[in-house]
Amino acid sequence: MIQLFHVSKYYDRRPALSDVNLQIAKGEFVLLMGPSGAGKTTLLKLLFCAESPDQGQILVQNRNVARLRRSDVPYLRRSMGMVFQDFRLLPKKNVFENVALPLVVQGASAFETKRKVTEALKAVGVEHRKDSRPTTLSAGEQQRVSIARAIVNGPIILLADEPTGNLDPELAGEIIELFKAINARGTTVMVATHNRQVADQVSRRVVTLNQGKLVSDEGVGQ
Amino acid sequence: MRVVAYLVREAFSNIRINRTTTLIAVATTAFTLACFGVFLLLYLNLRGVISSLQDDIQVVLYLDDGLPAQQVSDLQQRLKTEPGIASLAYVSKDQAVADFRAQFPSEAHLLQGLGENPLPASFVVTLGPRFRSSESIKRLADRMKDIPGVAQIQYSREWVENLATVIGYVELAAIAVGAILSAASVTIIASIIRLTLYARRDEIEIMHLIGATGAFIRIPYLLEGAVLGALGGLLSLALLRGGFEFFKLQLGAPGRLLGISSGFSFFPDHISLLMVLVGLLLGFTGSGVSLLRFGRAKA
Ligand SMILES: Nc1ncnc2c1ncn2[C@@H]1O[C@H](COP(=O)(O)OP(=O)(O)OP(=O)(O)O)[C@@H](O)[C@H]1O
Ligand SMILES: [Mg+2]
């Protein structure tokens, strides 16, 4: 599903990632951990083609994303869902429109859009707020909306960068449960975090980075 | 179909949300287009005037005094076969005197003192539309001056040439002004769209992240530019029309300037439409320019 071979990425000649090798199988739930500046965000950015590696190869669903043409990037992203610490919702559109956006850009029909958006909103439990502006929602609700947007397309991979960073522990726990439920339906999930509590709650595979190097890769619990 | 509706809605909601910048964009485009429009109006009207003046261009062939009637009619036959000549009028000696009396009644006594009629007979030649340039008049005159019986040829060469020069200058000025002002409105629209892009860079990034193609993201901005430009074009037409009516009023209808009797006219419909289209194109280009720059800055 996701394979990294000797991947390095430099910013101003300083390595953000150096010689990372990683294989993730379909349906796995992987936590990406490590201290601030370890390279977690950089690794995720390489996976959704916001950055390209300076060395090494990256295969996502058997496609070499390191060599992807810029015009092909949108199509790769349509098979992925992305969740961020700061939610990244469009403030001028309501919840329904925000969640519908990945379908609209693909030209989905109104009927299909309504069905899928309603389903996604139900799955994350914010269906009752579908006509609200994101700014009128609590942080936890906003993150749920952004997760609904990430899964509305039925993605094969879900990438999340510090999804609980702006939430208190209780809300964070609820969000992690959502990810587990999404994973249980077959989606490969990769969550970057430096929150130990999350790791304890998930108790799955944990990949740890430090100063750009992969320092440990272990199954927890299972 | 749904995508198109979405893109159009995005463009118009942008226009509605950024009302002040929209107003500035439309006003500046209108102003620049109106400046150009003044030149265009001047040029088109001048060209109209000139072609009506050229209708009056005549060449007069004065005949040898006492040319026999037979030779006059031979000459007339010969002139009728000339390709550049549209019409031909014979003015006899007597007719010439009558014309002179009619034209200059106060000078009529001058003729009386001379006894015998001193005015020569002549052919007044009107040229076909394609033979009114100064070169073809000269060519025709050169050919005819050697015909036996023709004493002298008269036509106002400088006058014809001056007209051509004037119209050439106006044309040049219109092109130069048009080019400068087009560049100005492209720049203005480009910077306005750039401001919008900058203000919405987070939204644009989000659109990229959820898998929108570059075209999908760009089209609303291109549409926005085109709409702003077209609105500017419309407003410029309104401004020009207002200015034109005011100008006509000042001159006193029907605009008699330099003794020209043909009234001034506003743009014909197809030119008006063209002005709006030019506005649209300028807006579209302005938008495209800033999108290109924005895209490059991001890469
Ligand atoms: N755009 C950039 N330009 C320059 N340096 C960068 C850039 N992005 C990241 N870096 C550097 O690369 C290194 C890894 O950054 P990264 O954001 O991947 O860390 P992280 O593990 O996500 O940290 P955090 O937990 O704080 O989010 C850091 O040293 C950071 O300063
Ligand atoms: Mg990070």
Side-chain angles (χ1 to χ4, degrees), chain A residues 78 80-81 96 98-104 106 112-121 145-155 158:
Chain A
R78 289 174 191 184
M80 299 178 163
F96 185 95
N98 265 284
V99 175
L101 219 50
L103 300 171
V104 170
Q106 296 179 51
E112 190 190 357
T113 303
K114 191 163 165 45
R115 185 177 63 77
K116 287 189 170 171
V117 171
T118 309
E119 198 179 302
L121 287 174
V145 173
S146 96
I147 293 170
R149 185 183 62 191
I151 61 171
V152 73
N153 230 346
L158 184 67

Coordinates of all heavy atoms in Angstrom, one line a residue, chain A residues 78 80-81 96 98-104 106 112-121 145-155 158:
Chain A
R78 N -7.4 12.3 -4.5 CA -8.8 11.9 -4.5 C -8.9 10.5 -3.9 O -10.0 10.1 -3.5 CB -9.4 12.0 -5.8 CG -9.6 13.4 -6.3 CD -10.1 13.5 -7.7 NE -10.0 14.9 -8.1 CZ -10.4 15.3 -9.3 NH1 -11.0 14.5 -10.2 NH2 -10.3 16.6 -9.7
M80 N -7.1 9.6 -1.3 CA -6.7 9.8 0.1 C -7.6 10.7 0.8 O -8.2 11.6 0.2 CB -5.3 10.4 0.1 CG -4.2 9.6 -0.6 SD -2.7 10.5 -0.5 CE -1.5 9.3 -0.9
G81 N -7.6 10.6 2.1 CA -8.2 11.6 2.9 C -7.2 12.2 3.8 O -6.2 11.6 4.2
F96 N -22.1 21.3 5.4 CA -22.5 20.4 4.2 C -21.6 20.7 3.0 O -21.0 19.8 2.4 CB -23.9 20.6 3.9 CG -24.4 19.6 2.8 CD1 -25.0 18.4 3.1 CD2 -24.2 19.9 1.5 CE1 -25.4 17.5 2.1 CE2 -24.6 19.0 0.5 CZ -25.2 17.9 0.8
N98 N -18.7 22.2 2.9 CA -17.3 21.8 3.1 C -17.1 20.3 2.9 O -16.1 19.9 2.2 CB -16.9 22.2 4.6 CG -16.2 23.5 4.6 OD1 -15.1 23.6 4.3 ND2 -17.0 24.5 5.1
V99 N -18.0 19.5 3.4 CA -17.8 18.1 3.3 C -18.0 17.6 1.8 O -17.4 16.7 1.3 CB -18.7 17.3 4.2 CG1 -18.7 15.8 4.0 CG2 -18.4 17.7 5.7
A100 N -18.9 18.4 1.1 CA -19.2 18.0 -0.3 C -18.1 18.3 -1.2 O -18.0 17.8 -2.4 CB -20.5 18.7 -0.7
L101 N -17.2 19.2 -0.8 CA -16.2 19.8 -1.8 C -15.4 18.7 -2.5 O -15.2 18.8 -3.8 CB -15.2 20.7 -1.0 CG -14.8 22.0 -1.7 CD1 -16.0 22.7 -2.3 CD2 -14.0 22.9 -0.8
P102 N -14.9 17.6 -1.9 CA -14.1 16.6 -2.6 C -14.9 16.0 -3.7 O -14.4 15.5 -4.7 CB -13.7 15.6 -1.6 CG -13.8 16.4 -0.3 CD -14.9 17.3 -0.4
L103 N -16.3 15.9 -3.5 CA -17.1 15.3 -4.5 C -17.4 16.3 -5.6 O -17.4 16.0 -6.8 CB -18.4 14.9 -3.9 CG -18.3 13.9 -2.8 CD1 -19.6 13.7 -2.1 CD2 -17.8 12.5 -3.3
V104 N -17.6 17.6 -5.2 CA -17.9 18.7 -6.2 C -16.7 18.8 -7.2 O -17.0 18.9 -8.4 CB -18.2 20.0 -5.5 CG1 -18.2 21.1 -6.5 CG2 -19.5 19.9 -4.7
Q106 N -14.9 16.7 -8.3 CA -14.9 15.5 -9.2 C -16.1 15.5 -10.1 O -16.2 14.6 -10.9 CB -14.8 14.2 -8.4 CG -13.5 14.1 -7.7 CD -13.5 12.8 -6.9 OE1 -13.7 11.7 -7.4 NE2 -13.2 12.9 -5.6
E112 N -25.8 11.9 -5.6 CA -24.7 11.1 -5.0 C -24.1 12.0 -3.9 O -23.7 11.4 -2.9 CB -23.7 10.8 -6.2 CG -22.7 9.8 -5.7 CD -21.6 9.7 -6.7 OE1 -21.7 10.3 -7.8 OE2 -20.6 8.9 -6.4
T113 N -23.9 13.3 -4.2 CA -23.2 14.1 -3.2 C -24.0 14.1 -1.9 O -23.5 14.0 -0.9 CB -23.1 15.6 -3.8 OG1 -22.4 15.5 -5.0 CG2 -22.4 16.5 -2.8
K114 N -25.3 14.4 -2.1 CA -26.2 14.4 -0.9 C -26.1 13.1 -0.1 O -25.9 13.1 1.2 CB -27.6 14.7 -1.3 CG -28.5 15.1 -0.1 CD -29.7 15.8 -0.6 CE -30.8 15.9 0.5 NZ -30.5 16.3 1.8
R115 N -26.2 12.0 -0.8 CA -26.2 10.7 -0.1 C -24.8 10.5 0.6 O -24.8 10.2 1.8 CB -26.3 9.6 -1.1 CG -26.5 8.2 -0.5 CD -26.7 7.2 -1.6 NE -25.7 7.1 -2.6 CZ -24.5 6.4 -2.4 NH1 -24.3 5.9 -1.2 NH2 -23.6 6.4 -3.3
K116 N -23.7 10.8 0.0 CA -22.4 10.5 0.6 C -22.1 11.5 1.7 O -21.5 11.1 2.7 CB -21.3 10.6 -0.5 CG -21.3 9.4 -1.5 CD -20.1 9.4 -2.3 CE -20.0 8.1 -3.1 NZ -18.9 8.2 -4.1
V117 N -22.5 12.7 1.5 CA -22.2 13.7 2.5 C -23.0 13.4 3.8 O -22.4 13.4 4.9 CB -22.5 15.2 2.1 CG1 -22.4 16.2 3.2 CG2 -21.5 15.6 0.9
T118 N -24.2 13.1 3.6 CA -25.1 12.7 4.8 C -24.5 11.5 5.5 O -24.4 11.5 6.8 CB -26.5 12.4 4.3 OG1 -27.0 13.5 3.5 CG2 -27.5 12.3 5.5
E119 N -24.1 10.5 4.8 CA -23.5 9.3 5.3 C -22.2 9.7 6.1 O -22.1 9.2 7.3 CB -23.1 8.4 4.2 CG -22.9 6.9 4.6 CD -22.6 6.1 3.3 OE1 -23.5 6.1 2.4 OE2 -21.5 5.5 3.3
A120 N -21.4 10.5 5.6 CA -20.1 10.9 6.2 C -20.4 11.7 7.5 O -19.7 11.5 8.5 CB -19.2 11.7 5.3
L121 N -21.3 12.6 7.4 CA -21.7 13.4 8.6 C -22.2 12.6 9.7 O -21.9 12.8 10.9 CB -22.6 14.5 8.2 CG -22.1 15.7 7.4 CD1 -23.1 16.7 6.9 CD2 -21.0 16.4 8.2
V145 N -15.9 17.4 11.4 CA -16.3 17.8 10.0 C -15.2 17.6 9.1 O -15.3 17.1 8.0 CB -16.7 19.3 10.0 CG1 -16.9 19.8 8.5 CG2 -18.0 19.6 10.8
S146 N -13.9 17.9 9.5 CA -12.8 17.7 8.6 C -12.6 16.2 8.3 O -12.1 15.8 7.3 CB -11.6 18.5 9.1 OG -10.7 17.6 9.8
I147 N -12.9 15.4 9.3 CA -12.8 13.9 9.1 C -13.9 13.5 8.2 O -13.6 12.7 7.3 CB -12.8 13.2 10.5 CG1 -11.6 13.5 11.3 CG2 -12.9 11.7 10.2 CD1 -11.6 13.0 12.8
A148 N -15.1 14.0 8.3 CA -16.1 13.7 7.4 C -15.7 14.0 5.9 O -15.9 13.2 5.0 CB -17.4 14.4 7.7
R149 N -15.1 15.2 5.8 CA -14.6 15.6 4.4 C -13.5 14.6 3.9 O -13.5 14.3 2.8 CB -14.0 17.0 4.5 CG -13.6 17.5 3.1 CD -13.0 18.9 3.2 NE -11.8 18.9 4.0 CZ -11.1 20.0 4.4 NH1 -11.6 21.2 4.1 NH2 -10.0 19.9 5.2
A150 N -12.7 14.1 4.9 CA -11.6 13.2 4.5 C -12.1 11.9 4.0 O -11.5 11.2 3.2 CB -10.6 13.1 5.6
I151 N -13.3 11.4 4.6 CA -13.7 10.1 4.3 C -14.9 10.1 3.3 O -15.3 9.0 2.8 CB -14.2 9.3 5.5 CG1 -15.3 10.0 6.2 CG2 -13.0 9.1 6.5 CD1 -16.0 9.2 7.4
V152 N -15.4 11.2 2.9 CA -16.6 11.3 2.1 C -16.4 10.6 0.8 O -17.4 10.1 0.2 CB -17.0 12.8 1.9 CG1 -16.1 13.5 0.9 CG2 -18.5 12.9 1.4
N153 N -15.2 10.5 0.3 CA -14.9 10.0 -1.0 C -14.6 8.5 -0.9 O -14.3 7.8 -1.9 CB -13.6 10.6 -1.5 CG -13.8 11.1 -2.9 OD1 -14.7 10.8 -3.6 ND2 -12.9 12.0 -3.3
G154 N -14.7 7.9 0.3 CA -14.3 6.5 0.5 C -12.8 6.3 0.1 O -12.5 5.4 -0.7
P155 N -11.9 7.0 0.8 CA -10.5 6.9 0.5 C -9.9 5.5 0.9 O -10.4 4.9 1.8 CB -9.9 8.0 1.3 CG -10.7 8.1 2.5 CD -12.1 7.8 2.0
L158 N -6.0 7.1 4.8 CA -6.4 8.3 5.6 C -5.1 8.8 6.3 O -4.5 8.0 7.0 CB -7.5 8.0 6.6 CG -8.0 9.2 7.4 CD1 -8.7 10.2 6.5 CD2 -8.9 8.8 8.5

